[in-house]
Amino acid sequence: MKINHLYTIGLSALLLSTVLTACSEKASAPVPAPPAADSGTADPAASDKETGNTSGEQSGEAGMEVQQNNSESASAERPQTRTNEMLINGELSKHRAVLTEGDGYSLYVYEELQLKNNRLFLKSNPEYYAEIETLPADFNLDELRQQGKKELAATSEVREYSGDTIGEPLTNAPLFLQAGNEKLLKNYVVWEPKGEQGYIFRMNQPVGEEGGLFNPLAYDSLASIQAK
């Protein structure tokens, strides 16, 4: 299988080094609580752990059956499958994804993940998930910012990040809000693919080793979303 591109996932160290200096709502880097992560918004607790890709690698070809069944009606303009070599926890590993159809959109879903009822979740632990909501063409970003802050407020103090502090491949997200505590990290992300409608990604990431696998794969899958 041809490797299309290489994603560099590794802001955990950056987040850990800046968590003590973040003192405003718009900080220079995410101030996560301790959920395990290895992507644009990681947690300092997880950065001290060695988390591998064991659960994802064990799923194998059998794990693609559900995605394959949903891929037939996805966009014919994009390849039905792709394999990416990704840097996860300092190690390169290959991951295969199937173009899968959602509610009015399609995106690449990795074999360790599953898309069902507009929720993208980790098969080995469905508590790691991202809910996908399609936005109307006339959405108001300021209104969404207030909505997102209200939704995340129960978790902890809400912080907003942008640009390189978010991490690839969601660097260009128009809105990225995050709140976390010792048990859970939540993200509220507005994503607007170039020339297309926008989406909200509500990400739920408990504390745990699975976060080191979920975040890089989920971020990449979400960034691949396109309207049908």
Side-chain angles (χ1 to χ4, degrees), residues 1 53-69 71 80-86 88 93-100 107-116 120-126 128 213-214 216-222 224:
M1 179 67 67
N53 302 315
T54 304
S55 61
E57 291 172 353
Q58 289 177 342
S59 59
E61 294 297 325
M64 302 305 294
E65 292 180 359
V66 174
Q67 314 302 343
Q68 193 73 51
N69 291 336
S71 67
Q80 288 299 305
T81 63
R82 74 181 188 185
T83 298
N84 291 329
E85 188 172 45
M86 307 174 74
I88 299 178
S93 54
K94 294 180 181 179
H95 297 268
R96 181 171 177 260
V98 170
L99 186 61
T100 304
L107 75 166
Y108 284 97
V109 177
Y110 285 94
E111 61 183 4
E112 297 87 352
L113 307 175
Q114 184 171 334
L115 178 68
K116 184 177 182 180
L120 182 70
F121 58 90
L122 188 65
K123 291 178 180 177
S124 62
N125 188 345
Y128 289 87
L213 178 67
F214 172 75
L217 299 180
Y219 273 46
D220 191 72
S221 288
L222 293 170
S224 73

Side-chain angles (χ1 to χ4, degrees), residues 31-196:
V31 181
D38 191 6
S39 69
T41 52
D43 67 350
S47 65
D48 293 332
K49 301 176 182 178
E50 289 297 324
T51 57
N53 302 315
T54 304
S55 61
E57 291 172 353
Q58 289 177 342
S59 59
E61 294 297 325
M64 302 305 294
E65 292 180 359
V66 174
Q67 314 302 343
Q68 193 73 51
N69 291 336
N70 294 332
S71 67
E72 294 180 357
S73 56
S75 173
E77 297 180 358
R78 295 198 282 177
Q80 288 299 305
T81 63
R82 74 181 188 185
T83 298
N84 291 329
E85 188 172 45
M86 307 174 74
L87 184 64
I88 299 178
N89 294 320
E91 295 184 2
L92 287 172
S93 54
K94 294 180 181 179
H95 297 268
R96 181 171 177 260
V98 170
L99 186 61
T100 304
E101 183 178 327
D103 186 10
Y105 58 83
S106 65
L107 75 166
Y108 284 97
V109 177
Y110 285 94
E111 61 183 4
E112 297 87 352
L113 307 175
Q114 184 171 334
L115 178 68
K116 184 177 182 180
N117 297 328
N118 296 315
R119 176 177 287 197
L120 182 70
F121 58 90
L122 188 65
K123 291 178 180 177
S124 62
N125 188 345
E127 290 303 309
Y128 289 87
Y129 64 82
E131 293 180 334
I132 302 171
E133 177 184 337
T134 302
L135 287 169
D138 59 348
F139 74 86
N140 184 295
L141 192 61
D142 289 331
E143 292 179 359
L144 292 178
R145 178 178 286 106
Q146 295 306 312
Q147 173 183 308
K149 288 181 177 180
K150 184 177 181 180
E151 290 183 14
L152 298 182
T155 304
S156 72
E157 179 184 0
V158 181
R159 296 179 179 273
E160 181 174 346
Y161 306 102
S162 61
D164 292 339
T165 61
I166 297 174
E168 295 289 352
L170 296 179
T171 301
N172 295 323
L175 179 66
F176 192 105
L177 303 177
Q178 184 180 88
N181 54 44
E182 69 279 2
K183 296 181 179 181
L184 184 67
L185 182 72
K186 284 182 171 289
N187 297 331
Y188 180 99
V189 184
V190 173
W191 181 250
E192 191 174 15
K194 186 175 181 180
E196 292 196 14

